[in-house]
């Protein structure tokens, strides 16, 4: 997979399971006695069917879509609904806990919010922002590379309110799940991890959207930075922030390490465990992260970010210490030449080690229908 899945790849007769043959954390947990449930967004193919090590499955297919009146599938059974999708996900999570709390369980709850469309939010979530000034939503000049699809959100108070209300609705439902753990007496014996799959620009850099909110795709901090919170009362020190740069690809080894489990070896698996930080330790930790989205790859260190693109698009080098807004491309500056070459070498070494093709051949290893090749990405309406 090099991009999001179109509807036909995600759900229906043409869809197939894009994680087939890959070992997931749910596989490892199930083999070690856990009952694994997925409630919410899947969007990795054959959306309505349990897979990838999960025993319990409750989803709304196609990955996105409206926030009201959706079709859910619970363990293969279609359920027609009229309510708010975020509430449905929260309610399904609570249902799982009510039915399976007597087991050793793992529950994965991927909310759809606050991703667009901003078509519906309950009034109880909107009411918080009736008099808000929304000062945290910047309004710089429009980015010339921004896609037409999200230009309707620019300068719109309603869009700012809708996005904020969707965040609040998700927060409210996270609270619902945590309250259920308290009610069942499980809070002290359950590790809770909160994170996200991507960031989102709400006017930042002159556009709305994520990494594919511009053409070419971007790797701005607002697109790639996500929250990461671990909670385990009595086991993880409360209220503590640590500074190492970690990635979503570090989650798999960290979760298993934290639980004292091991996955079968896989030479293509990337990521390292940061579990020692969770226990209060301070291990050596090289601060270097890698990213890939279609024809765009990047390496990010504590103060530099090098972005390399195929398909004839330009490369970028940002000095994050001097230019935190990523406004000045230093890729052609003589004084940054050695740093650029060093970053480029490490970037290529990382992807070569995983057997990835040259960036110009990025299409050759994916089986999906690429939105890039369907006319989905345009500057024009």
């Amino acid at each position: 997979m090099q991009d999001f899945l179109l509807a036909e790849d995600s759900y229906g007769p043409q869809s197939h399971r894009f994680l087939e043959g890959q070992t997931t954390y749910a596989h490892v947990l199930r083999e070690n006695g856990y009952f694994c449930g997925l409630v919410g967004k899947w969007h990795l193919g054959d959306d309505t069917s349990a897979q990838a090590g999960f025993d319990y499955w409750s989803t709304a297919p196609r990955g996105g879509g409206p926030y009201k009146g959706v079709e859910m599938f619970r363990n293969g059974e279609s359920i027609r609904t009229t309510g708010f999708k975020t509430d449905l996900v929260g309610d399904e999570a609570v249902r799982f806990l009510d039915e399976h709390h007597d087991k050793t369980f793992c529950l994965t709850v991927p909310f759809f919010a606050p991703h667009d469309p901003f078509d519906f939010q309950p009034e109880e979530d909107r009411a918080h922002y009736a008099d808000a000034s929304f000062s945290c939503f910047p309004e710089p000049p429009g980015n010339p590379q921004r896609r037409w699809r999200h230009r309707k959100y620019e300068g719109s108070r309603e869009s700012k309110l809708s996005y904020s209300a969707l965040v609040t609705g998700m927060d409210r439902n996270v609270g619902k799940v945590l309250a259920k753990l308290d009610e069942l007496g499980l809070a002290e014996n359950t590790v809770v991890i909160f994170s996200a799959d991507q960031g989102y620009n709400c006017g930042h850099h002159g556009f709305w959207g994520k990494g594919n909110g511009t053409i070419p795709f971007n790797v701005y901090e607002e697109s790639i930075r996500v929250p990461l919170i671990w909670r385990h009362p009595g086991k993880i020190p409360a209220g503590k922030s640590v500074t190492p740069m970690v990635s979503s690809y570090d989650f798999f080894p960290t979760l298993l390490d934290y639980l004292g489990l091991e996955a079968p070896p896989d030479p293509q698996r990337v990521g390292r465990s940061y579990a020692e930080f969770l226990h209060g330790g301070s291990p050596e930790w090289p601060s270097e992260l890698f990213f890939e989205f279609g024809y765009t790859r990047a390496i990010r260190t504590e103060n530099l970010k090098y972005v390399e693109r195929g398909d004839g698009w330009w490369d970028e080098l940002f000095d994050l210490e001097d230019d935190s807004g990523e406004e000045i491309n230093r890729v052609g500056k003589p004084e940054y030449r050695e740093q650029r070459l060093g970053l480029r070498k490490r970037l290529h070494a990382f992807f070569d080690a995983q057997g990835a093709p040259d960036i110009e051949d990025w299409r050759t290893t994916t089986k999906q229908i690429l939105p890039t090749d369907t006319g989905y990405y345009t500057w024009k309406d």
Side-chain angles (χ1 to χ4, degrees):
M1 293 175 60
Q2 294 284 3
D3 204 337
F4 76 92
L5 293 182
L6 297 175
E8 53 267 47
D9 264 342
S10 184
Y11 170 66
Q14 297 182 45
S15 174
H16 64 275
R17 302 181 176 192
F18 283 84
L19 280 188
E20 197 72 31
Q22 302 293 320
T23 299
T24 69
Y25 65 83
H27 282 127
V28 179
L29 293 178
R30 185 167 68 176
E31 290 171 0
N32 285 274
Y34 285 76
F35 184 79
C36 298
L38 177 92
V39 172
K41 182 175 180 176
W42 179 243
H43 207 197
L44 288 166
D46 195 14
D47 286 358
T48 61
S49 302
Q51 56 189 283
F54 290 99
D55 306 283
Y56 184 98
W57 196 264
S58 183
T59 60
R62 301 179 187 88
Y67 276 98
K68 191 174 183 181
V70 300
E71 182 181 20
M72 298 281 291
F73 285 82
R74 183 190 301 135
N75 297 327
E77 177 186 359
S78 171
I79 303 168
R80 295 286 178 176
T81 67
T82 59
F84 179 42
K85 184 158 61 174
T86 303
D87 285 342
L88 298 174
V89 174
D91 291 344
E92 285 292 293
V94 168
R95 178 190 179 98
F96 174 93
L97 293 172
D98 277 331
E99 293 180 353
H100 303 289
H101 66 270
D102 56 338
K103 303 180 177 74
T104 302
F105 67 85
C106 170
L107 175 60
T108 302
V109 190
F111 287 97
F112 296 83
H115 202 292
D116 67 292
F118 307 143
D119 63 317
F120 174 79
Q121 313 92 42
E123 188 54 37
E124 66 176 306
D125 298 328
R126 291 176 59 87
H128 297 287
Y129 304 98
D131 301 317
S133 64
F134 299 110
S135 58
C136 59
F137 290 78
E139 292 190 20
N143 188 320
Q145 267 67 58
R146 70 198 192 279
R147 286 171 51 213
W148 188 267
R149 177 181 175 87
H150 291 155
R151 293 190 187 188
K152 60 187 176 184
Y153 302 142
E154 296 174 12
S156 165
R157 188 177 191 280
E158 174 59 27
S159 296
K160 298 172 185 178
L161 195 156
S162 297
Y163 184 87
S164 302
L166 286 171
V167 172
T168 293
M170 182 188 63
D171 284 350
R172 181 169 51 77
N173 278 277
V174 170
K176 187 189 302 182
V177 176
L178 296 180
K180 176 56 67 171
L181 291 176
D182 289 337
E183 176 190 323
L184 296 171
L186 295 175
E188 300 292 318
N189 195 36
T190 304
V191 58
V192 177
I193 306 105
F194 179 86
S195 191
D197 58 346
Q198 82 245 342
Y200 204 82
N201 296 266
C202 296
H204 308 82
H205 303 283
F207 73 98
W208 280 64
K210 49 190 174 181
N212 62 4
T214 60
I215 305 172
F217 295 166
N218 71 82
V219 197
Y220 290 130
E221 290 293 285
E222 288 79 4
S223 297
I224 62 176
R225 290 181 69 115
V226 296
L228 177 62
I229 303 169
W230 285 65
R231 187 193 86 155
H232 195 179
K235 302 291 179 63
I236 296 176
K240 182 179 180 180
S241 296
V242 292
T243 58
M245 290 167 41
V246 301
S247 171
S248 296
Y249 54 64
D250 296 318
F251 178 78
F252 180 97
T254 303
L255 177 65
L256 299 182
D257 185 17
Y258 184 82
L259 297 174
L261 304 176
E262 291 186 9
D266 180 349
Q268 287 191 303
R269 183 178 299 133
V270 299
R272 53 200 177 211
S273 171
Y274 53 82
E276 192 173 338
F277 288 107
L278 301 173
H279 295 302
S282 299
E284 289 189 13
W285 190 267
S287 292
E288 188 171 84
L289 302 178
F290 298 89
F291 304 89
E292 180 180 32
F293 189 178
Y295 51 78
T296 302
R297 295 173 182 172
I299 176 174
R300 197 244 200 243
T301 67
E302 288 184 340
N303 65 334
L304 293 170
K305 181 189 293 177
Y306 172 64
V307 183
E308 186 170 282
R309 296 185 177 96
D311 286 6
W313 297 111
W314 56 83
D315 301 337
E316 293 170 323
L317 176 65
F318 295 115
D319 185 336
L320 301 174
E321 189 171 356
D322 183 59
D323 174 32
S324 60
E326 299 173 272
E327 297 178 346
I328 306 171
N329 183 6
R330 316 289 178 103
V331 79
K333 303 293 184 182
E335 61 269 31
Y336 284 86
R337 182 177 183 275
E338 292 304 316
Q339 290 166 300
R340 180 181 67 83
L341 292 176
L343 291 171
R344 184 177 186 274
K345 182 178 180 180
R346 279 140 63 191
L347 178 69
H348 283 223
F350 177 84
F351 284 97
D352 288 346
Q354 314 315 319
D358 183 82
I359 194 168
E360 293 294 348
D361 298 320
W362 65 275
R363 289 180 176 86
T364 61
T365 56
T366 184
K367 298 178 180 178
Q368 73 177 114
I369 303 169
L370 287 165
T372 309
D373 297 333
T374 67
Y376 179 85
Y377 294 118
T378 66
W379 283 287
K380 300 180 180 179
D381 190 0

